[in-house]
Amino acid sequence: MADIVVLAVAGAGVAPRDFASPLFSALKDALGGDWSRLYCDTLTAVESLQGNTDRVFQGMCKSEMDYLRARKFLLCTMAQSAAQLGDIQQRDGAYEKTQGAIYRMLQKAAAAAGERTPVVLLSHSFGCVSFSNYLWDAQRSSVGHGIWRDGGPGGVRKGSARERFLRLKTLSYWYTLGASNPLWCAGRGREQIQAVTADSRGYRFRWKNFYHPDDLFGWPLKPLSPTYNQAVFKDYETRPLSDSHMGSQGPQVLPLEDYWSSDLVLQQLLGDLRALLQNGQRGGSAPAQRSQRVLTV
Protein backbone atom coordinates (compact mmCIF):
# COMPACT_ATOMS: atom_id res chain seq x y z
CA MET A 1 0.00 0.00 0.00
CA ALA A 2 1.19 3.52 -0.81
CA ASP A 3 1.33 6.38 1.69
CA ILE A 4 0.15 9.08 -0.75
CA VAL A 5 -1.96 9.05 -3.92
CA VAL A 6 -0.84 11.62 -6.52
CA LEU A 7 -3.30 12.21 -9.37
CA ALA A 8 -2.58 14.42 -12.38
CA VAL A 9 -5.48 15.57 -14.57
CA ALA A 10 -5.01 17.12 -18.01
CA GLY A 11 -7.11 20.03 -19.19
CA ALA A 12 -8.63 19.27 -22.58
CA GLY A 13 -8.14 16.60 -25.23
CA VAL A 14 -4.64 17.66 -26.23
CA ALA A 15 -2.45 15.74 -23.79
CA PRO A 16 -0.72 12.41 -24.54
CA ARG A 17 -1.21 9.56 -22.10
CA ASP A 18 2.28 10.12 -20.63
CA PHE A 19 1.77 13.87 -20.20
CA ALA A 20 2.80 13.77 -16.51
CA SER A 21 6.02 11.79 -17.05
CA PRO A 22 8.28 14.87 -16.69
CA LEU A 23 6.61 15.73 -13.38
CA PHE A 24 6.80 12.20 -12.03
CA SER A 25 10.46 11.92 -13.10
CA ALA A 26 11.29 15.14 -11.24
CA LEU A 27 9.51 13.87 -8.12
CA LYS A 28 11.32 10.53 -8.34
CA ASP A 29 14.72 12.25 -8.57
CA ALA A 30 13.96 14.60 -5.70
CA LEU A 31 12.32 12.11 -3.32
CA GLY A 32 14.78 9.27 -3.77
CA GLY A 33 13.72 6.21 -1.82
CA ASP A 34 10.48 7.88 -0.71
CA TRP A 35 9.28 7.78 -4.31
CA SER A 36 8.21 4.17 -3.77
CA ARG A 37 5.72 5.39 -1.14
CA LEU A 38 3.69 7.22 -3.81
CA TYR A 39 0.93 5.85 -6.03
CA CYS A 40 0.70 7.99 -9.18
CA ASP A 41 -1.88 8.01 -11.95
CA THR A 42 -3.15 10.31 -14.69
CA LEU A 43 -6.37 11.20 -16.45
CA THR A 44 -6.65 12.69 -19.92
CA ALA A 45 -9.83 13.80 -21.66
CA VAL A 46 -12.73 11.40 -22.12
CA GLU A 47 -11.89 9.56 -25.35
CA SER A 48 -15.35 9.88 -26.89
CA LEU A 49 -15.17 13.68 -26.59
CA GLN A 50 -11.60 13.85 -27.85
CA GLY A 51 -12.48 11.88 -30.97
CA ASN A 52 -15.13 14.42 -31.91
CA THR A 53 -12.83 17.41 -31.46
CA ASP A 54 -10.01 15.71 -33.37
CA ARG A 55 -12.39 15.11 -36.30
CA VAL A 56 -13.48 18.76 -36.34
CA PHE A 57 -9.91 20.02 -36.07
CA GLN A 58 -8.68 17.87 -38.94
CA GLY A 59 -11.51 19.14 -41.11
CA MET A 60 -10.68 22.75 -40.27
CA CYS A 61 -7.00 22.23 -41.11
CA LYS A 62 -7.95 21.97 -44.78
CA SER A 63 -8.23 25.76 -44.66
CA GLU A 64 -5.43 28.28 -44.19
CA MET A 65 -4.99 28.99 -40.48
CA ASP A 66 -2.22 30.19 -38.18
CA TYR A 67 -1.51 29.47 -34.49
CA LEU A 68 -2.67 25.86 -34.89
CA ARG A 69 -1.42 24.74 -31.48
CA ALA A 70 -3.37 27.44 -29.68
CA ARG A 71 -6.40 26.90 -31.91
CA LYS A 72 -6.50 23.18 -31.11
CA PHE A 73 -6.23 23.85 -27.38
CA LEU A 74 -9.07 26.37 -27.53
CA LEU A 75 -11.23 24.09 -29.68
CA CYS A 76 -10.81 21.11 -27.37
CA THR A 77 -11.39 23.15 -24.23
CA MET A 78 -14.46 24.99 -25.50
CA ALA A 79 -15.94 21.85 -27.05
CA GLN A 80 -15.46 19.84 -23.87
CA SER A 81 -17.06 22.61 -21.83
CA ALA A 82 -20.03 22.95 -24.17
CA ALA A 83 -20.56 19.19 -24.32
CA GLN A 84 -20.52 18.79 -20.54
CA LEU A 85 -22.60 21.78 -19.57
CA GLY A 86 -25.07 21.24 -22.40
CA ASP A 87 -26.25 17.82 -21.21
CA ILE A 88 -25.69 17.97 -17.46
CA GLN A 89 -29.04 16.29 -16.75
CA GLN A 90 -28.68 13.55 -19.37
CA ARG A 91 -27.81 10.07 -18.17
CA ASP A 92 -24.60 8.83 -19.79
CA GLY A 93 -24.07 12.28 -21.31
CA ALA A 94 -20.72 14.06 -21.55
CA TYR A 95 -20.99 15.47 -18.01
CA GLU A 96 -21.66 12.04 -16.51
CA LYS A 97 -19.02 10.35 -18.69
CA THR A 98 -16.38 12.80 -17.48
CA GLN A 99 -17.34 12.21 -13.87
CA GLY A 100 -17.37 8.45 -14.52
CA ALA A 101 -13.76 8.63 -15.73
CA ILE A 102 -12.76 10.47 -12.54
CA TYR A 103 -14.69 7.96 -10.42
CA ARG A 104 -12.96 4.99 -12.07
CA MET A 105 -9.54 6.59 -11.55
CA LEU A 106 -10.35 6.97 -7.84
CA GLN A 107 -11.61 3.38 -7.64
CA LYS A 108 -8.32 2.17 -9.09
CA ALA A 109 -6.34 4.31 -6.63
CA ALA A 110 -8.37 3.06 -3.65
CA ALA A 111 -7.75 -0.56 -4.64
CA ALA A 112 -4.02 -0.01 -5.10
CA ALA A 113 -3.21 2.37 -2.24
CA GLY A 114 -5.95 1.92 0.34
CA GLU A 115 -9.15 3.79 1.11
CA ARG A 116 -7.70 6.04 3.82
CA THR A 117 -4.69 7.24 1.85
CA PRO A 118 -4.32 11.02 1.48
CA VAL A 119 -4.72 12.32 -2.06
CA VAL A 120 -2.72 15.06 -3.76
CA LEU A 121 -4.50 16.26 -6.90
CA LEU A 122 -3.02 18.34 -9.73
CA SER A 123 -5.36 19.59 -12.47
CA HIS A 124 -4.80 21.87 -15.45
CA SER A 125 -7.02 24.31 -17.32
CA PHE A 126 -10.49 22.86 -17.94
CA GLY A 127 -9.50 19.83 -15.87
CA CYS A 128 -9.84 22.18 -12.90
CA VAL A 129 -13.47 22.85 -13.85
CA SER A 130 -14.21 19.15 -14.34
CA PHE A 131 -12.82 18.28 -10.93
CA SER A 132 -14.56 21.24 -9.34
CA ASN A 133 -17.86 19.89 -10.72
CA TYR A 134 -17.06 16.41 -9.40
CA LEU A 135 -16.16 17.77 -5.96
CA TRP A 136 -19.23 20.01 -5.85
CA ASP A 137 -21.53 17.07 -6.51
CA ALA A 138 -19.63 14.73 -4.16
CA GLN A 139 -19.91 17.23 -1.33
CA ARG A 140 -23.71 17.06 -1.42
CA SER A 141 -25.93 14.36 0.01
CA SER A 142 -28.25 14.50 -3.00
CA VAL A 143 -27.87 15.78 -6.56
CA GLY A 144 -29.98 15.20 -9.67
CA HIS A 145 -27.16 14.86 -12.18
CA GLY A 146 -23.72 13.34 -12.73
CA ILE A 147 -22.18 10.27 -11.16
CA TRP A 148 -23.49 11.14 -7.68
CA ARG A 149 -27.17 11.35 -8.68
CA ASP A 150 -29.42 9.16 -6.52
CA GLY A 151 -26.67 8.75 -3.93
CA GLY A 152 -23.96 7.59 -6.31
CA PRO A 153 -23.16 4.31 -8.10
CA GLY A 154 -24.32 1.08 -6.51
CA GLY A 155 -22.04 -1.34 -4.71
CA VAL A 156 -20.51 1.20 -2.32
CA ARG A 157 -21.85 1.32 1.22
CA LYS A 158 -22.90 4.79 2.32
CA GLY A 159 -20.58 6.19 4.97
CA SER A 160 -17.87 3.57 4.33
CA ALA A 161 -14.17 4.34 3.94
CA ARG A 162 -14.50 3.49 0.25
CA GLU A 163 -17.27 6.03 -0.24
CA ARG A 164 -15.29 8.69 1.67
CA PHE A 165 -12.33 8.10 -0.65
CA LEU A 166 -14.47 8.20 -3.79
CA ARG A 167 -16.01 11.46 -2.59
CA LEU A 168 -12.43 12.74 -2.17
CA LYS A 169 -12.72 13.23 1.56
CA THR A 170 -9.08 12.13 1.95
CA LEU A 171 -7.96 14.95 -0.35
CA SER A 172 -5.05 16.77 1.32
CA TYR A 173 -3.86 19.17 -1.39
CA TRP A 174 -5.40 20.41 -4.62
CA TYR A 175 -3.08 22.15 -7.09
CA THR A 176 -4.94 24.01 -9.85
CA LEU A 177 -2.59 24.96 -12.72
CA GLY A 178 -3.77 27.56 -15.22
CA ALA A 179 -7.32 27.26 -13.89
CA SER A 180 -9.96 28.52 -16.32
CA ASN A 181 -12.84 28.61 -13.80
CA PRO A 182 -13.59 32.35 -14.25
CA LEU A 183 -14.31 31.85 -17.96
CA TRP A 184 -17.30 29.64 -17.16
CA CYS A 185 -18.87 31.52 -14.26
CA ALA A 186 -18.10 35.21 -14.82
CA GLY A 187 -21.55 35.80 -16.33
CA ARG A 188 -23.21 35.03 -13.00
CA GLY A 189 -23.85 37.43 -10.15
CA ARG A 190 -21.08 37.49 -7.56
CA GLU A 191 -23.28 35.83 -4.95
CA GLN A 192 -24.01 33.00 -7.43
CA ILE A 193 -20.33 32.16 -7.98
CA GLN A 194 -19.80 29.41 -5.44
CA ALA A 195 -16.65 27.41 -4.77
CA VAL A 196 -16.38 23.91 -3.37
CA THR A 197 -15.63 23.82 0.33
CA ALA A 198 -12.13 23.03 1.55
CA ASP A 199 -12.83 22.88 5.29
CA SER A 200 -16.38 21.64 5.97
CA ARG A 201 -18.76 18.79 5.05
CA GLY A 202 -16.04 16.32 6.07
CA TYR A 203 -13.36 17.93 3.86
CA ARG A 204 -10.09 19.45 4.99
CA PHE A 205 -7.61 20.17 2.22
CA ARG A 206 -5.37 23.03 1.09
CA TRP A 207 -6.15 24.47 -2.34
CA LYS A 208 -3.20 26.12 -4.08
CA ASN A 209 -3.80 27.89 -7.39
CA PHE A 210 -0.95 28.63 -9.83
CA TYR A 211 -1.20 30.89 -12.87
CA HIS A 212 1.14 32.54 -15.34
CA PRO A 213 0.32 36.24 -15.90
CA ASP A 214 0.51 35.80 -19.70
CA ASP A 215 -1.70 32.67 -19.78
CA LEU A 216 -5.13 33.64 -21.12
CA PHE A 217 -6.64 30.48 -19.55
CA GLY A 218 -4.84 30.84 -16.22
CA TRP A 219 -6.45 33.08 -13.60
CA PRO A 220 -6.20 33.91 -9.91
CA LEU A 221 -9.23 32.45 -8.15
CA LYS A 222 -9.51 34.20 -4.79
CA PRO A 223 -11.02 37.39 -6.33
CA LEU A 224 -13.89 35.43 -7.93
CA SER A 225 -16.22 35.52 -4.92
CA PRO A 226 -16.21 35.35 -1.11
CA THR A 227 -16.47 31.54 -1.20
CA TYR A 228 -13.50 31.26 -3.56
CA ASN A 229 -11.57 33.66 -1.35
CA GLN A 230 -12.31 31.38 1.60
CA ALA A 231 -11.66 28.05 -0.14
CA VAL A 232 -8.44 28.87 -2.04
CA PHE A 233 -5.41 28.96 0.26
CA LYS A 234 -3.35 31.18 -2.06
CA ASP A 235 -2.97 32.31 -5.67
CA TYR A 236 0.62 31.92 -6.87
CA GLU A 237 2.09 33.67 -9.94
CA THR A 238 4.52 31.26 -11.59
CA ARG A 239 6.33 34.30 -12.98
CA PRO A 240 5.64 37.66 -11.33
CA LEU A 241 4.50 40.25 -13.85
CA SER A 242 6.77 42.76 -12.09
CA ASP A 243 9.91 40.70 -12.78
CA SER A 244 11.96 42.97 -15.05
CA HIS A 245 14.45 40.19 -15.83
CA MET A 246 11.80 38.13 -17.62
CA GLY A 247 10.03 40.14 -20.25
CA SER A 248 6.40 39.40 -21.03
CA GLN A 249 5.87 37.11 -24.01
CA GLY A 250 2.44 38.58 -24.63
CA PRO A 251 -0.91 36.79 -24.49
CA GLN A 252 -0.50 33.01 -24.65
CA VAL A 253 -2.34 29.77 -24.07
CA LEU A 254 0.18 27.85 -22.00
CA PRO A 255 0.25 24.04 -22.14
CA LEU A 256 0.57 21.89 -19.06
CA GLU A 257 4.32 21.38 -19.43
CA ASP A 258 4.89 25.09 -18.73
CA TYR A 259 3.43 24.55 -15.27
CA TRP A 260 5.21 21.20 -14.74
CA SER A 261 8.54 22.96 -15.40
CA SER A 262 7.87 25.80 -12.96
CA ASP A 263 10.32 25.77 -10.05
CA LEU A 264 7.63 27.32 -7.86
CA VAL A 265 5.15 24.51 -8.54
CA LEU A 266 7.75 21.79 -7.99
CA GLN A 267 9.09 23.35 -4.77
CA GLN A 268 5.61 23.70 -3.31
CA LEU A 269 4.66 20.16 -4.32
CA LEU A 270 7.81 18.58 -2.92
CA GLY A 271 7.39 20.47 0.35
CA ASP A 272 3.80 19.27 0.74
CA LEU A 273 4.63 15.68 -0.21
CA ARG A 274 7.55 15.55 2.23
CA ALA A 275 5.36 16.93 5.01
CA LEU A 276 2.74 14.26 4.38
CA LEU A 277 5.37 11.51 4.22
CA GLN A 278 7.02 12.70 7.41
CA ASN A 279 3.80 13.08 9.36
CA GLY A 280 2.25 9.90 8.01
CA GLN A 281 -1.05 11.79 7.71
CA ARG A 282 -4.14 9.91 6.62
CA GLY A 283 -7.64 11.02 5.80
CA GLY A 284 -7.08 14.36 4.10
CA SER A 285 -5.73 16.19 7.14
CA ALA A 286 -3.79 18.97 5.44
CA PRO A 287 -2.65 21.91 7.58
CA ALA A 288 -5.59 24.12 8.38
CA GLN A 289 -3.85 27.50 8.33
CA ARG A 290 -5.18 29.62 5.49
CA SER A 291 -3.76 32.58 3.64
CA GLN A 292 -4.59 35.83 5.39
CA ARG A 293 -4.83 37.71 2.11
CA VAL A 294 -8.30 39.32 2.13
CA LEU A 295 -10.14 40.67 -0.89
CA THR A 296 -10.74 44.38 -1.19
CA VAL A 297 -12.88 44.10 -4.31
Side-chain angles (χ1 to χ4, degrees), residues 33-198:
D34 282 338
W35 165 254
S36 63
R37 299 171 63 187
L38 272 58
Y39 168 89
C40 300
D41 199 4
T42 60
L43 180 67
T44 57
V46 178
E47 291 185 0
S48 61
L49 302 183
Q50 183 175 347
N52 291 337
T53 55
D54 285 346
R55 173 182 51 78
V56 171
F57 183 73
Q58 292 303 321
M60 294 297 176
C61 283
K62 296 175 182 178
S63 301
E64 292 279 338
M65 292 190 298
D66 205 350
Y67 308 109
L68 290 181
R69 186 184 185 189
R71 284 179 181 274
K72 186 172 185 180
F73 184 92
L74 288 169
L75 177 68
C76 292
T77 302
M78 297 296 187
Q80 186 171 335
S81 169
Q84 285 193 43
L85 300 182
D87 67 359
I88 188 171
Q89 301 292 340
Q90 180 182 334
R91 291 187 181 274
D92 202 34
Y95 185 90
E96 191 162 302
K97 284 180 178 178
T98 299
Q99 291 204 342
I102 295 171
Y103 187 88
R104 289 188 294 275
M105 178 177 65
L106 292 172
Q107 281 184 311
K108 182 181 174 184
E115 298 163 345
R116 291 178 172 82
T117 309
V119 174
V120 176
L121 171 66
L122 300 99
S123 56
H124 173 244
S125 186
F126 189 70
C128 303
V129 179
S130 295
F131 247 95
S132 181
N133 290 338
Y134 183 93
L135 256 177
W136 179 273
D137 293 350
Q139 289 181 347
R140 277 143 187 83
S141 58
S142 178
V143 291
H145 53 262
I147 199 75
W148 291 106
R149 77 167 83 221
D150 304 325
V156 180
R157 182 171 57 85
K158 188 174 182 179
S160 65
R162 175 61 61 95
E163 190 201 39
R164 291 188 74 254
F165 187 91
L166 295 173
R167 288 185 182 269
L168 279 171
K169 288 190 176 182
T170 70
L171 182 63
S172 287
Y173 291 95
W174 185 15
Y175 280 53
T176 47
L177 312 173
S180 59
N181 300 47
L183 299 178
W184 318 114
C185 63
R188 302 174 185 169
R190 195 159 184 262
E191 70 285 351
Q192 296 176 308
I193 299 177
Q194 299 291 317
V196 299
T197 181

